[in-house]
Amino acid sequence: MQDDLLRVETELLRVVSAEDDFLTDVASHLINAGGKRVRPGFCIAAAAVHDDDSSAASIDVIRGGCAVELVHIGSLYHDDVMDGATTRRGVKSINAEWGNLRAILAGDYLLGRASELAAALGTEVAGLLATTITELCTGQILELESTYNADRTFEAYQRSISGKTSSLLATACRIGAIVADVPRPTIDALTEFGRAYGMAFQIVDDILDIIATDEQLGKPSGNDLLEGIYTLPVIYSLQDPAVAGELRSLLRHDITIEQRDRARELTRRGGGVELAVNMAETWASKADAALFDLPDTTGAKALRAAGHHLMERLNAVR
């Protein structure tokens, strides 16, 4: 898979290349900054769940993985504009480097390139990617609607992360399986894996934003509280009588860094973090269960390892 992921890097740069050098620079900015490429990896692994001959992935599988990754990167361009972020993956964000207008248009350009790739893979893949972009936007809008809302519910939180995170990981698995002509029952199982993994992934990320240091996280921690995004550990802690009163009083539009740090401390002290960890473990177990009937191939092993690594990462910080 490492060789296939290197092919993904080459293909990503090829696809976003434009006649205009400036557009090429802007579009490839975050690609060149690197990344874990979880979504292309899932696409490649899903395509190989019934194939253990260690052969290279087909070019269609590589391009399917690229399509999903370009949607992800395009969404990051837009996210950084909304958040006013100045860095991403250790480099200046697009908006910080070239301004909001160029960042928005570059994000749109990446979504267009992703759609071109998907269209070349057939109507089912094209329709699936279009639906996923809609789900991603819906999830993000739901999150914006809940900004600075200390009464955000568990159900509202789940609807949001299902769209903004889980849907794209499910689609990565499904596209890889469709392009590789995997049997339909297996396609559905892989889609369920991706969706459940995505839910666990986002919950873990939200827990780490509360409990991890900047160094452990690799980015500034505690930003969700500053931006008024109250995630699962906070939602649960607001139901804990021991900390709810003071915590709620801190959750405001003009929250200071000191108040943010106190809110993180209260969330860690209450029972919210442990309840959120339990929910992440539940989703990780569902992801593992979705792969139960798959043979022990390299592709299936890679997907199983991803789920286990996710919880190991969380436990290492706890």
Side-chain angles (χ1 to χ4, degrees):
M1 282 186 63
Q2 289 300 320
D3 289 342
D4 286 333
L5 288 173
L6 289 175
R7 293 168 63 203
V8 166
E9 297 298 317
T10 301
E11 186 67 9
L12 284 170
L13 292 173
R14 184 194 71 79
V15 170
V16 304
S17 179
E19 292 184 6
D20 181 79
D21 290 341
F22 175 74
L23 179 54
T24 299
D25 288 343
V26 175
S28 60
H29 182 68
L30 278 191
I31 296 172
N32 286 322
K36 297 175 183 176
R37 307 293 186 240
V38 173
R39 292 152 193 84
F42 275 17
C43 189
I44 293 165
V49 293
H50 285 310
D51 181 9
D52 207 22
D53 62 4
S54 300
S55 59
S58 71
I59 187 60
D60 283 350
V61 171
I62 296 297
R63 287 174 177 164
C66 287
V68 177
E69 187 70 1
L70 289 176
V71 170
H72 173 58
I73 296 173
S75 73
L76 296 181
Y77 280 32
H78 292 160
D79 285 351
D80 286 346
V81 171
M82 290 187 291
D83 297 341
T86 57
T87 60
R88 169 74 70 171
R89 295 178 178 173
V91 299
K92 290 181 72 173
S93 63
I94 290 290
N95 50 299
E97 184 72 27
W98 290 292
N100 286 344
L101 294 180
R102 290 177 178 84
I104 292 169
L105 290 173
D108 292 344
Y109 174 78
L110 294 178
L111 295 179
R113 287 300 201 193
S115 299
E116 286 181 305
L117 283 175
L121 297 175
T123 56
E124 183 178 7
V125 172
L128 176 59
L129 195 71
T131 298
T132 304
I133 292 172
T134 301
E135 291 178 350
L136 191 154
C137 293
T138 300
Q140 191 64 59
I141 289 169
L142 289 172
E143 182 172 274
L144 285 173
E145 287 180 344
S146 295
T147 303
Y148 293 105
N149 179 11
D151 295 316
R152 187 186 193 189
T153 64
F154 168 75
E155 290 75 18
Y157 169 81
Q158 284 219 129
R159 287 198 303 271
S160 175
I161 69 170
S162 176
K164 75 168 197 168
T165 302
S166 179
S167 63
L168 197 55
L169 286 157
T171 293
C173 292
R174 192 169 187 86
I175 287 178
I178 289 170
V179 171
D181 201 25
V182 169
R184 283 285 155 175
T186 304
I187 291 176
D188 292 339
L190 289 166
T191 305
E192 179 55 32
F193 164 81
R195 191 168 298 281
Y197 176 91
M199 296 296 287
F201 179 92
Q202 187 60 61
I203 294 170
V204 166
D205 198 57
D206 292 340
I207 295 168
L208 291 174
D209 190 65
I210 295 292
I211 69 173
T213 64
D214 293 359
E215 293 73 24
Q216 289 170 325
L217 207 53
K219 60 181 180 180
S221 56
N223 264 5
D224 287 341
L225 288 166
L226 291 177
E227 295 168 3
I229 300 170
Y230 306 142
T231 57
L232 196 57
V234 177
I235 291 169
Y236 280 143
S237 291
L238 284 167
Q239 299 169 4
D240 184 342
V243 299
E246 184 181 356
L247 178 58
R248 181 177 287 271
S249 72
L250 296 170
L251 303 181
R252 40 194 296 157
H253 287 76
D254 57 351
I255 185 172
T256 65
I257 296 296
E258 292 75 18
Q259 290 169 331
R260 185 276 313 271
D261 292 343
R262 177 60 177 167
R264 291 177 72 196
E265 180 186 340
L266 289 169
T267 303
R268 291 193 292 265
R269 185 196 302 173
V273 169
E274 285 307 310
L275 289 171
V277 169
N278 291 341
M279 185 56 63
E281 290 174 340
T282 296
W283 281 111
S285 295
K286 288 181 179 180
D288 197 46
L291 303 177
F292 181 78
D293 290 331
L294 295 185
D296 204 23
T297 58
T298 301
K301 285 179 181 177
L303 295 175
R304 291 187 179 105
H308 298 157
H309 174 72
L310 182 64
M311 299 313 300
E312 287 170 359
R313 179 186 176 218
L314 176 59
N315 291 329
V317 174
R318 291 170 66 204

